[in-house]
Amino acid sequence: MYRRLEHALAAYDGPDKTCLSIAKSEDFAQIMGLNQVKFTSAIYPEVDMRALPYPDNHFDFTVADQVLEHVAGDPIAAFGETVRVTKPGGFIVQTTCFFNLIHQAPTDYWRFTPMALQLICEKTGVEPVLLGGWGNQLIWSYMSMGYRMAKVPENPDNPLFQLGMRNEKKYPLSTWVLARKPEA
C-alpha cells in the first residue's frame, strides 16, 4: 500500500501548503511526498473525526492513515468532515485495514473494501484518484502466525519481499483512497 502511494502527492507539495494529519499520519504524508507542507495534527479520538474543529476549505491535504476503522459512529460522516475541511482542488487520503485482527479493542468498528471507499467518495462528492487494496492469501497466514508488524526485507531475492509484493485483489489486507475535492 505504501509503495503504491509513495510520492503520489509530491508534485503538489510546497512550503505554502497545509496538511491536516489525523492520528499522527505525518510519516505517511511524507511517504506520499509531502515534505514541505505545514502540518496540523489532530489526535484521534481526542479530536472527533465526525466534527473536526477547523473551518471549511482550510487545508490543502487531509491525511488519515489507518484511522477510519476506529471511528465510533458514522464513517461516511467522518470522511465527509475531512472533505469539508479540505480546500477545493485539495486531496483527501484515507487508508484502512480490511483483513486484520480486532485491534485497539473495544474501538475497532469497521472494515472497508475498495468498493466501500468508492461509495464513500460518491456520498461525499469527491473523485477518487487512486483507489485500491493490497494483500494475498499467504500474507493472511503469515500475519496469523504473529508477524503482523514484521519489517519486510528490501531484498528482491528474499521470500518475504516476494510475498510482500504479491497482490491478489480478492484478499486485501489494506485498502486506500486518494481523492480530490472538486474545484469550486
Side-chain angles (χ1 to χ4, degrees):
M1 174 180 74
Y2 296 118
R3 284 197 178 215
R4 178 66 180 98
L5 295 170
E6 190 172 24
H7 307 297
L9 295 173
Y12 304 96
D13 190 25
D16 60 329
K17 302 291 177 98
T18 58
C19 180
L20 175 61
S21 166
I22 299 174
K24 301 180 182 179
S25 296
E26 291 89 347
D27 288 347
F28 175 54
Q30 290 173 338
I31 288 170
M32 289 188 301
L34 300 179
N35 295 300
Q36 299 177 51
V37 299
K38 295 178 187 107
F39 285 104
T40 297
S41 183
I43 304 301
Y44 181 81
E46 290 83 14
V47 174
D48 187 351
M49 266 184 75
R50 297 167 302 153
L52 293 171
Y54 309 104
D56 295 355
N57 306 317
H58 188 71
F59 299 99
D60 297 289
F61 310 94
T62 302
V63 178
D65 185 25
Q66 306 293 317
V67 183
L68 199 57
E69 69 267 24
H70 300 287
V71 171
D74 184 352
I76 297 173
F79 192 99
E81 271 295 280
T82 65
V83 173
R84 180 187 66 77
V85 301
T86 302
K87 294 176 182 177
F91 294 91
I92 300 96
V93 183
Q94 295 272 348
T95 70
T96 186
C97 61
F98 179 71
F99 174 79
N100 207 334
L101 301 174
I102 293 175
H103 55 288
Q104 294 185 353
T107 61
D108 186 1
Y109 300 107
W110 309 102
R111 295 295 181 265
F112 301 91
T113 64
M115 292 170 285
L117 294 173
Q118 169 75 42
L119 180 64
I120 291 172
C121 287
E122 291 171 11
K123 297 280 187 187
T124 58
V126 295
E127 182 68 31
V129 176
L130 293 172
L131 175 72
W134 170 85
N136 60 66
Q137 289 182 52
L138 293 175
I139 203 72
W140 288 17
S141 298
Y142 187 72
M143 285 181 50
S144 70
M145 293 186 298
Y147 296 104
R148 178 176 173 258
M149 300 304 283
K151 183 149 176 67
V152 175
E154 289 291 327
N155 178 352
D157 295 327
N158 188 296
L160 291 179
F161 179 88
Q162 293 169 12
L163 177 62
M165 295 299 107
R166 184 174 162 190
N167 189 29
E168 297 173 23
K169 288 186 178 188
K170 289 186 176 183
Y171 299 94
L173 176 71
S174 299
T175 59
W176 64 84
V177 63
L178 184 157
R180 191 161 199 186
K181 185 173 180 177
E183 295 285 343

